């Protein structure tokens, strides 16, 4: 049995109830085989992979809160502090009913590699709660965030662990969490990123994941000798990532014809209108079907996802496993030749196999959506020096980071004999730096 298989079998035996994590770990370990087999003796001697797959620490706690009617509720809160070899734990908090330890471990492992790819000094972490902010009043969300932070504050800090947003945690939640941290500790420090601009947030952080996704897509497309201008793009989702991906793609001359929410998708043959989208999602916090009522010529498709729409490029920006094998086939049959992921792991295993077998260009999430966490790390730098950089400065650094990620992913893939396989390239490029740091720091 290979070292990679041995480690995976051990993991399966220890965590049989964590299917999402096991699946992600298996895929990552498999794609690391080319680098692991080259360094097997050293890695084995240092139990490197055994350490890489186990979080340094997982904190679980209950979160009691009272709703507006006076009814009490208990949710589960988590922080997975996965790997601090190259910097303080860094990664978002997700508030969603599906949150559990298995999902957070899978997202945390992805985050280690993603953060490493940014080339900034940030380790990997992830956290959240099985709380659903949808349909809750502002006051309920605030009480929940305050209760969550009343436990979490003991374990985080600007140099130890710096959470941020993820699904269900946006600017509003980060604000409430930050307020409670400050109240409990008396510290005004960059303990969270994605903060409001008036209290230490970075310009271009809200735009960063979506813009970064389009910057790297542009590189992928150029790498294939084509250009983004004039291409038709299908986007899923309508949240933060989707919104700014749409804006940037349109600015660069592409036409984005779809966006969606969990109820259905919008098709707009004239290109999604960014202003209308933001009014509906950011101001009114309404469902995406509203778009079709306001924009003549657009259509709303209830209960469907946009993968059957003819396009050159697909940018899945909604959530994990939103593209399955059949969807991937549909995309390819309809002319799609490039998929870059804005959401975390939106393509399931069968979808990825379909892209790779068809040899279309596929940039996985950990590389393609790293722009968000990269600008979070830039927010940490600004907080440390107590300065704020201009939008242009942050945006241009983001652009450079995404170009570098593309270079390092594609060059690494080539170096290990997997030219154009960006899955192998991203995993190995991300892992190499973490592994080197872990080896240098001894058995910890
Ligand atoms: N949740 C985002 C991600 O998946 C951002 C994390 C951060 O900014 O720390 O990368």
């Amino acid at each position: 049995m290979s070292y990679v298989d041995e480690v995976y079998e051990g993991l399966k035996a220890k965590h049989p109830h964590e299917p999402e994590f096991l699946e992600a770990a298996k895929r990552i370990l498999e794609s690391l085989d080319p680098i692991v087999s080259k360094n097997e003796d050293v890695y084995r001697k240092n139990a490197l992979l055994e350490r890489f797959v186990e979080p340094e620490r997982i904190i679980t706690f209950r979160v009691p809160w009272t709703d507006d009617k006076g009814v009490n509720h208990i949710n589960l809160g988590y922080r997975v502090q996965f790997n601090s070899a190259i910097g303080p734990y860094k990664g978002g908090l997700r508030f969603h009913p599906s949150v559990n330890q298995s999902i957070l471990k899978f997202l945390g492992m992805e985050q280690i590699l993603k953060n490493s790819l940014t080339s900034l000094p940030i380790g990997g972490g992830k956290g959240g709660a099985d709380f659903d902010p949808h349909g809750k009043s502002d006051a309920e969300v605030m009480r929940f965030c305050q209760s969550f932070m009343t436990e979490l504050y003991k374990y985080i800090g600007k140099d130890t662990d710096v959470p941020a947003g993820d699904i269900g945690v946006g600017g509003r939640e980060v604000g409430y969490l930050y307020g409670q941290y400050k109240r409990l500790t008396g510290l005004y420090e960059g303990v969270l990123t994605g903060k409001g601009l008036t209290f230490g947030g970075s310009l271009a952080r809200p735009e960063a994941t979506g813009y970064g996704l389009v910057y790297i897509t542009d590189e992928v497309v150029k790498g294939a000798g084509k250009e983004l201008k004039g291409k038709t793009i299908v986007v899923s989702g309508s949240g933060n990532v989707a919104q700014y991906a749409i804006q940037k793609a349109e600015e660069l001359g592409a036409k984005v014809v779809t966006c969606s929410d969990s109820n259905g998708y919008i098709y707009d043959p004239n290109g999604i209108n960014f202003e209308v989208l933001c009014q509906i999602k950011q101001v009114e916090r309404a469902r995406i079907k509203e778009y079709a009522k306001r924009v003549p010529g657009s259509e709303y498709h209830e209960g469907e996802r946009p993968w059957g729409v003819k396009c050159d490029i697909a940018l899945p920006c909604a959530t994990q496993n939103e593209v399955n094998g059949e969807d991937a086939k549909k995309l390819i049959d309809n002319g799609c030749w490039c998929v870059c992921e804005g959401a975390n792991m939106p393509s399931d295993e069968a979808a990825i196999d379909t892209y790779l077998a068809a040899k279309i260009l596929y940039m996985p999430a950990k590389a393609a959506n790293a722009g968000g966490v990269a600008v979070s790390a830039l927010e940490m730098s600004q907080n440390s020096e107590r300065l704020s950089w201009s939008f242009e400065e942050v945006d241009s650094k983001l652009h450079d980071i995404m170009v570098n990620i593309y270079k390092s992913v594609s060059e690494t893939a080539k170096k290990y004999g997997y030219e154009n396989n960006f899955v192998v390239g991203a995993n190995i490029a991300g892992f190499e730096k973490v592994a080197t740091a872990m080896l240098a720091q001894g058995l910890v």
Side-chain angles (χ1 to χ4, degrees):
M1 212 190 289
S2 73
Y3 181 32
V4 155
D5 288 341
E6 260 174 52
V7 171
Y8 177 67
E9 288 307 316
L11 206 59
K12 223 163 75 176
K14 270 191 210 153
H15 306 288
H17 304 301
E18 296 184 348
E20 296 87 355
F21 172 61
L22 287 175
E23 184 55 51
K26 182 165 178 250
R27 302 288 289 195
I28 290 173
L29 285 169
E30 277 169 3
S31 72
L32 292 179
D33 199 52
I35 183 170
V36 172
S37 42
K38 266 195 181 170
N39 300 284
E40 182 161 342
D41 289 349
V42 185
Y43 286 5
R44 267 188 192 278
K45 192 167 155 254
N46 290 280
L48 185 82
L49 286 187
E50 290 85 338
R51 289 189 287 140
F52 178 72
V53 296
E54 286 297 343
E56 289 174 20
R57 187 175 308 102
I58 301 177
I59 297 133
T60 313
F61 48 94
R62 68 171 185 238
V63 188
W65 61 282
T66 307
D67 69 21
D68 290 344
K69 296 195 183 83
V71 180
N72 295 327
H73 301 268
I74 304 294
N75 283 95
L76 283 178
Y78 306 85
R79 185 70 182 164
V80 178
Q81 297 183 330
F82 217 126
N83 192 303
S84 62
I86 62 169
Y89 310 106
K90 182 83 197 86
L93 296 171
R94 178 175 288 193
F95 290 170
H96 191 269
S98 67
V99 163
N100 59 36
Q101 186 166 300
S102 168
I103 290 190
L104 293 179
K105 277 174 70 179
F106 121 60
L107 292 167
M109 191 178 229
E110 282 282 293
Q111 198 82 41
I112 303 170
L113 301 172
K114 180 194 310 197
N115 294 2
S116 167
L117 283 171
T118 67
S119 73
L120 299 167
I122 38 177
K126 201 88 193 184
D130 60 350
F131 169 78
D132 188 358
H134 284 119
K136 305 286 190 299
S137 70
D138 256 5
E140 287 172 329
V141 170
M142 183 176 74
R143 284 197 294 277
F144 180 81
C145 289
Q146 290 177 339
S147 181
F148 184 86
M149 186 51 87
T150 301
E151 196 56 38
L152 186 69
Y153 88 98
K154 302 166 193 164
Y155 310 102
I156 60 176
K158 71 175 171 44
D159 296 315
T160 47
D161 184 356
V162 183
D166 196 78
I167 293 173
V169 178
R172 174 181 61 170
E173 289 76 14
V174 169
Y176 293 149
L177 291 163
Y178 187 74
Q180 185 71 354
Y181 179 86
K182 182 164 65 69
R183 182 188 190 193
L184 290 164
T185 60
L187 297 171
Y188 205 103
E189 62 176 24
V191 67
L192 288 155
T193 59
K195 298 185 291 299
L197 287 178
T198 54
F199 55 100
S202 174
L203 284 163
R205 176 63 187 89
E207 292 84 354
T209 315
Y211 279 18
L213 170 66
V214 174
Y215 293 150
I216 201 167
T217 304
D218 194 32
E219 294 305 303
V220 171
V221 167
K222 279 192 213 146
K226 306 186 191 206
E227 61 167 12
L228 205 56
K229 199 163 169 218
K231 299 296 176 291
T232 301
I233 301 186
V234 156
V235 165
S236 65
S238 51
N240 168 268
V241 182
Q243 289 163 19
Y244 291 107
I246 290 171
Q247 188 194 33
K248 186 51 77 177
E250 293 184 341
E251 200 182 300
L252 298 186
K255 193 204 268 185
V256 180
V257 292
T258 65
C259 63
S260 68
D261 64 18
S262 52
N263 295 109
Y265 81 89
I266 293 289
Y267 173 68
D268 186 345
N270 300 314
I272 296 290
N273 182 316
F274 173 72
E275 270 74 40
V276 174
L277 177 65
C278 288
Q279 171 66 25
I280 294 169
K281 299 308 294 186
Q282 291 182 9
V283 181
E284 299 168 25
R285 291 180 185 258
R287 305 304 293 171
I288 200 63
K289 68 175 172 211
E290 285 302 311
Y291 184 98
K293 294 183 195 155
R294 295 181 202 184
V295 180
S298 67
E299 301 159 10
Y300 175 61
H301 296 258
E302 173 82 24
E304 287 178 52
R305 286 172 297 175
W307 312 128
V309 173
K310 201 170 154 33
C311 66
D312 298 293
I313 298 164
L315 305 177
C317 297
T319 190
Q320 74 253 18
N321 293 330
E322 55 167 316
V323 188
N324 61 31
E326 271 173 37
D327 299 327
K329 206 172 160 302
K330 252 193 267 171
L331 276 171
I332 294 165
D333 289 347
N334 279 306
C336 175
W337 45 265
C338 174
V339 178
C340 297
E341 297 179 330
N344 282 318
M345 273 218 175
S347 306
D348 77 2
E349 201 180 337
I352 297 172
D353 290 342
T354 308
Y355 308 145
L356 295 178
K359 292 200 171 351
I360 66 163
L361 299 165
Y362 166 58
M363 189 57 81
K366 65 173 71 69
N369 75 20
V373 77
V375 173
S376 274
L378 301 181
E379 183 172 326
M380 289 165 71
S381 306
Q382 293 170 75
N383 292 164
S384 294
E385 58 177 27
R386 301 202 185 281
L387 289 172
S388 307
W389 306 341
S390 68
F391 187 96
E392 290 69 28
E393 188 171 356
V394 179
D395 189 36
S396 107
K397 286 194 163 75
L398 167 66
H399 185 262
D400 292 350
I401 289 168
M402 299 314 294
V403 170
N404 278 332
I405 293 177
Y406 171 73
K407 272 199 200 129
S408 117
V409 167
S410 53
E411 280 165 14
T412 305
K414 200 166 168 186
K415 177 172 146 198
Y416 283 88
Y418 286 81
E419 192 163 358
N420 287 328
N421 183 331
F422 302 142
V423 176
V424 171
N427 284 333
I428 296 186
F431 177 78
E432 217 164 10
K433 181 175 165 194
V434 176
T436 309
M438 286 175 77
L439 290 174
Q441 291 170 23
L443 193 69
V444 291

